[in-house]
Amino acid sequence: MKILAADTTTASASVCVMEESKMLARRFRNPGQTHSRHLLPMIEGVLGDAGMDMRHLDALVTTLGPGSFTGLRIGVSTMKGLAMAKGLPMFGFSTLEVMAARFLSHPAPVCIMMDARRGEVYAQNFDVSGNIPKAMGPAVVASPHDVLAQIQGAFLFAGSGALLYRKEIMEQAGLQALWPGILAHEPDAGEAAFLAMAAGRDAALPPHLIMPLYLRKSDAELQWEKKL
Amino acid sequence: MRILGIESSCDETAAAVVEDGVKILSSEVASQVEIHHRYGGVVPELASRHHVEAICPMVEAALAACGMEAGDLDAVAVTQGPGLVGALLVGFGFARACAFGLNIPCVGVHHLLGHIHSVFLEPEKTPPVYPFVALVVSGGHTGLYHVPDALTLELLGQTRDDAAGEAYDKIAKIMGLGYPGGPVIDAMAAEGEGGRVFFPRAFLDKDGLDFSFSGLKSAVARFLSEDGGKTSRADIAAAFQDAVVDVLVSKAFLAVEKMGCRDLAIVGGVAANRGLKKKAAQEADMRGIRLHMPSPFLCGDNAAMIAAAGYHYLQAGKVLGLDADVFSRATDPGRVAVRHR
């Protein structure tokens, strides 16, 4: 199976082309500007790097969020457009799961924390001791305090939220925090492609079933609920 | 030349296939009116979220309705702006990727130019002759344009505050009639007598072509609170509608006269308003001007008009690069064919 994967759920953007267990080409950029201008050129570039064009692909992979609402929609919409054009099936994975996949075979579980602003993080814990990440609970949007209160013992911490709230994590009693290298805190399309390969061709879906994962409702809905 | 049109600038997700810029093969629109209803206006984040859900089903439906497959398309045309950035990005990202995947050109259409091309899409109606004057009037826009050719808009005048459709929404909200206000007030006005109440018309500078609707909104609100329910709501709706229509029609025909044109196009969501249609037709008859107003299904946002305008972008070689982006404001310089006259 040959696949193209993309992630634009945070400030960084990444795309890759993978064939079975082999990474053929990968591009990453972290320009801190809109992904809208850069995603298609990156896709064209990475296909060229892999010596391929759209006709060679068997499936497309996108991260679903959580993350920047606009950023994740650029990725999801773009990949849906490609899928519709070529009649390709799609895979969609939570950005939290994709980030956890970097730590596979690590004996300690990992707590992925992405900065969700407003003093909150998008967070989820995964058992990464096996060959795919296993969620230990639901993905949440919550204060770092509430996330940390749920966990004990040795944990890896990764993500923009983990970096932002490093002090709170280090001060949390009963936690033994482990820190990966600085390059492990951004999601990457490579792990999304890997998860698709692990899931297998039969797990792919038609593009209309691929939906973003926001975790947080829109402000209008939150205010409406407050009024009720 | 069969073009897939895609529109997602506000609260409608639309896809259409149009041949040679004039013949609609299919046109599908998913409206989000129900979603935004309780907020009394369009919520940008919710609109964006629903575009992502609706985009694939709309494009699939538009292709299926004319028995085509994606591979049969010659080009993709998509609304590039103006509009809500988050909403635009869904259609824009999808459309450009779709064209890239099919290895066909993609063009980025100015939303208002799209509306103007809605008067070229009905074979039973004679299209306007260039140059003509266009009044674009909707929930987000109220402007008068001189249209010298298929790809140029010259701004003659525009609202200084609320769009006409926005005034309808706000009055409907004050009167507790729900959202969107246009169709409700139009229907209610038909039951009422406009002459029982008089609201001021904001003509501003008599010779000018700018509009203002915020004063009218305040006058209606003041009247409602002072009247205490003595006047029927139908009569108030009729009086309000008369005031809006009077200004729109007189400024539109003033523009036609100033530009020496023989054709006037009135397009956009408010062009479906029956009161406006009636008054504009009377005035056109009296002055010997050819009036062009699309059928209601082409007044609101749709993708057929985007594909129709897109045909002319394509003919002119205005094709998008892979690094193109959306724009939010109607007059963003350098990106569009709009210029001030």
Side-chain angles (χ1 to χ4, degrees), chain A residues 4 28 32 43 49 52 74-75 81 100-102 106 109 111 121 127 133 139 143 160 164 174 184 216:
Chain A
L4 167 72
F28 174 91
I43 287 171
D49 292 349
M52 284 193 192
I74 289 171
R102 184 163 304 179
H106 197 283
C111 173
V121 290
D127 171 352
S143 70
S160 55
L164 187 61
R216 181 187 273 154

Side-chain angles (χ1 to χ4, degrees), chain A residues 99-108 110 112 128-129 156-158 180 184-185:
Chain A
M99 291 184 72
R102 184 163 304 179
F103 305 102
L104 288 175
S105 300
H106 197 283
V110 59
I112 305 293
V128 286
S129 59
L156 265 166
F157 284 88
H185 297 282

Side-chain angles (χ1 to χ4, degrees), chain B residues 10-24:
Chain B
C10 190
D11 61 341
E12 260 106 19
T13 321
V17 182
V18 174
E19 195 164 51
D20 298 334
V22 288
K23 189 177 176 200
I24 300 176

